[in-house]
Amino acid sequence: MIRNVLLLIADDWSPIAGCYGNAVIHTPNIDRLAQCGTRFTRAFCTTPTCSASRANLLTGLYGHQHRQYGHTHGVHHFRTRSDAVTLPAILRKSGITSALIGKSHIAPKEVYPFDVWQEPADIPFAKFSNSKLRALTETFLKDIGDNPFYLHVASSNPHRAGGEFIRPLHPEFEGKDTLYGLDEVAVPSFLPDTPETRRDLADYYTYISRFDEHVGSILGELERSGHSEDTLILLMSDHGMPFPGAKASPFESGHHCPLIIVHPNGIGAGKQCDALVNWSDILPTVIDAMGVSVESIPDGCTGRSLMPLLKDSHAPWRDSVFYVHNFHEITNYFPYRVVRGNRYKYIRCLASQLDLPLGQDLFDSPTYKEIERTGGSEKRSHERLLRHWPEALFDLDNDPEETINLIDDTKLQPLIQDYRNRLQQFLLETKDPWLEVDYQQGRIRNYR
């Protein structure tokens, strides 16, 4: 029986782990979790940016619905709309304690009324510290006793610590990090294969291994608390890897994420699920798992509970998902809307006259300097990284780097029109204010 939910969320983690087919990286705790649960191979964030993605999973709403369009901290100062119904608010009404430990990246607090909000900031890069997050989790689990809970533990790993991956960052990692040789890492096809890129990726692998250690320490606390047998576990990321052409970009490499769900009764153990899911499904999943009334799900939420997929990974499911992106940092305005099907991806870039603006950590990264120096990779040029068509269709099976626009392919026109219609209907139903762009361009007449 499920009485509790533990959600472990990484920061900027693509599906790079042993259980996701990487034979080099050391992720024993994540791999063991996959053996005990269902590993999703086609899970996607709705927006590849930290704050808006986290707001999505805690409201079940897309960015244009919850209105936390981009980052919440510092000068960016985006905020979730004041009347949004969020997961901690729903659980409080149901008598379930909710706790957030680690990185929040959401605001304002009154919209997200976690009963416990522990965001360590006593030392630099505190939310990268495995020991601090473990200690806070231990305290919460001791205090909660036998009361039902939702525990949201958010590590800052494997996010960059600025433009680079600083080592050791904390004394706890001194001499204990898992290090990788330049010849060991797998260079994604959209990045230039140079020593500097490989060095950057090797450091990223180290940070992923740190996150794996964090996963092991939190699972250890859950076991010691006696709650491992009545707690559903979700392991996921807010979005993809912190490299140019992934995070904060329209490419699949920014949206494709890991997702592992472990049922305490062993339902779905060791299974792989290829269904198309996205982070709008997380809130309905938690609600379903904890036995809360589905009537509490916020109006406008289009997500579905993933619990049936644990019982039958091949159960009938949707054949497409949507992405909605607006901002990353305040200076990174690049709105786009996407229908992502089993094979094809249709995208509308609503400010295609702009080059894709890079987040500070990406612009300052060693890898972006290599992209500037080399002109990009053989599969994706520097120009293609920055410049995007106003409308495009990509065959992801044959063109995973999204370089060949098929929008004018005569044979594909029926599919293209179907995807146009799907996207327009979805945006109308969810009241997307960016439909004004299509209206002014004459693409839509029934908006106002």
Side-chain angles (χ1 to χ4, degrees):
M1 177 182 178
I2 298 171
R3 298 187 70 247
N4 318 300
V5 171
L6 167 63
L7 187 146
L8 297 165
I9 183 168
D11 200 350
D12 297 14
W13 177 37
S14 287
I16 299 175
C19 61
Y20 277 102
N22 189 303
V24 171
I25 198 158
H26 186 67
T27 53
N29 297 296
I30 294 169
D31 298 343
R32 278 194 293 271
L33 207 57
Q35 292 173 358
C36 298
T38 299
R39 179 177 58 86
F40 290 79
T41 61
R42 296 197 296 176
F44 303 94
C45 63
T46 62
T47 175
T49 180
C50 305
S51 293
S53 181
R54 292 163 195 262
N56 169 229
L57 73 91
L58 289 170
T59 63
L61 305 178
Y62 288 81
H64 63 279
Q65 295 175 292
H66 62 62
R67 300 177 194 165
Q68 178 133 2
Y69 299 122
H71 280 353
T72 186
H73 67 287
V75 298
H76 316 293
H77 204 65
F78 288 105
R79 294 291 186 269
T80 303
R81 73 174 206 253
S82 60
D83 62 342
V85 177
T86 64
L87 182 58
I90 294 169
L91 297 178
R92 176 175 286 185
K93 287 185 177 180
S94 300
I96 298 170
T97 300
S98 65
L100 185 155
I101 293 174
K103 184 173 184 175
S104 66
H105 232 325
I106 47 174
K109 281 190 174 182
E110 55 266 25
V111 174
Y112 297 94
F114 283 96
D115 299 294
V116 175
W117 188 305
Q118 294 280 0
E119 194 163 6
D122 55 323
I123 59 173
F125 303 109
K127 291 181 283 292
F128 286 82
S129 170
N130 291 346
S131 61
K132 284 191 173 294
L133 299 185
R134 185 207 58 76
L136 291 170
T137 299
E138 178 186 21
T139 298
F140 171 77
L141 291 173
K142 285 181 178 178
D143 292 345
I144 195 65
D146 291 328
N147 297 309
F149 63 83
Y150 168 78
L151 176 56
H152 186 107
V153 184
S155 171
S156 284
N157 284 310
H159 195 291
R160 293 177 184 272
E164 301 192 34
F165 299 97
I166 300 172
R167 294 206 315 262
L169 194 66
H170 287 300
E172 67 189 81
F173 300 123
E174 187 76 52
K176 298 179 181 179
D177 269 332
T178 302
L179 305 180
Y180 297 90
L182 302 193
D183 59 340
E184 293 182 290
V185 298
V187 180
S189 60
F190 61 89
L191 297 177
D193 190 349
T194 69
E196 283 305 310
T197 300
R198 285 180 170 272
R199 187 171 292 109
D200 209 16
L201 284 164
D203 289 341
Y204 179 54
Y205 276 33
T206 292
Y207 272 43
I208 293 174
S209 289
R210 287 182 183 179
F211 176 72
D212 178 80
E213 179 187 330
H214 159 74
V215 170
S217 70
I218 300 302
L219 293 180
E221 292 303 328
L222 185 70
E223 180 73 28
R224 282 186 284 276
S225 73
H227 283 300
S228 59
E229 294 182 358
D230 60 7
T231 301
L232 183 81
I233 301 170
L234 293 89
L235 176 67
M236 59 186 297
S237 177
D238 55 352
H239 54 74
M241 62 197 300
F243 284 77
K247 173 182 178 177
S249 82
F251 297 108
E252 288 295 282
S253 38
H255 284 271
H256 189 204
C257 294
L259 174 64
I260 298 169
I261 302 181
V262 180
H263 195 290
N265 295 342
I267 298 173
K271 290 185 178 179
Q272 171 180 307
C273 181
D274 301 324
L276 288 166
V277 305
N278 74 17
W279 288 176
S280 292
D281 298 323
I282 299 301
L283 181 145
T285 301
V286 175
I287 293 297
D288 185 14
M290 303 200 77
V292 178
S293 171
V294 295
E295 294 180 358
S296 64
I297 294 176
D299 292 340
C301 175
T302 60
R304 299 168 59 182
S305 171
L306 303 177
M307 296 301 288
L309 293 175
L310 303 188
K311 296 178 180 179
D312 180 3
S313 59
H314 301 289
W317 198 251
R318 62 170 75 98
D319 63 358
S320 63
V321 289
F322 298 100
Y323 308 157
V324 171
H325 179 76
N326 300 298
F327 285 88
H328 178 55
E329 296 161 354
I330 187 65
T331 53
N332 303 145
Y333 178 68
F334 200 76
Y336 59 82
R337 308 292 187 258
V338 170
V339 181
R340 202 278 192 201
N342 289 305
R343 176 175 175 181
Y344 292 97
K345 173 181 178 178
Y346 172 79
I347 180 168
R348 280 278 290 122
C349 289
L350 304 178
S352 60
Q353 70 274 19
L354 303 174
D355 282 357
L356 174 70
L358 300 179
Q360 290 183 15
D361 59 335
L362 304 179
F363 184 83
D364 293 342
S365 69
T367 294
Y368 186 60
K369 292 179 175 63
E370 289 299 284
I371 292 173
E372 288 185 304
R373 184 182 68 81
T374 64
S377 75
E378 292 183 6
K379 296 290 188 178
R380 186 186 293 161
S381 68
H382 187 196
E383 180 181 19
R384 174 66 188 108
L385 165 66
L386 300 180
R387 296 179 184 169
H388 296 259
W389 292 279
E391 184 181 40
L393 182 80
F394 300 109
D395 180 347
L396 298 175
D397 285 353
N398 295 306
D399 178 29
E401 294 82 15
E402 302 168 62
T403 60
I404 302 170
N405 187 359
L406 301 173
I407 201 66
D408 294 323
D409 189 307
T410 304
K411 296 180 181 179
L412 293 174
Q413 290 310 303
L415 172 73
I416 291 168
Q417 192 56 52
D418 176 44
Y419 276 25
R420 282 175 180 150
N421 293 341
R422 289 192 198 198
L423 183 60
Q424 184 179 116
Q425 186 63 32
F426 164 73
L427 297 177
L428 285 167
E429 289 176 355
T430 56
K431 299 179 175 60
D432 183 8
W434 270 264
L435 280 170
E436 181 67 22
V437 175
D438 282 354
Y439 181 79
Q440 292 190 18
Q441 292 178 353
R443 292 175 175 268
I444 185 173
R445 295 183 180 180
N446 59 337
Y447 168 57
R448 292 183 182 177

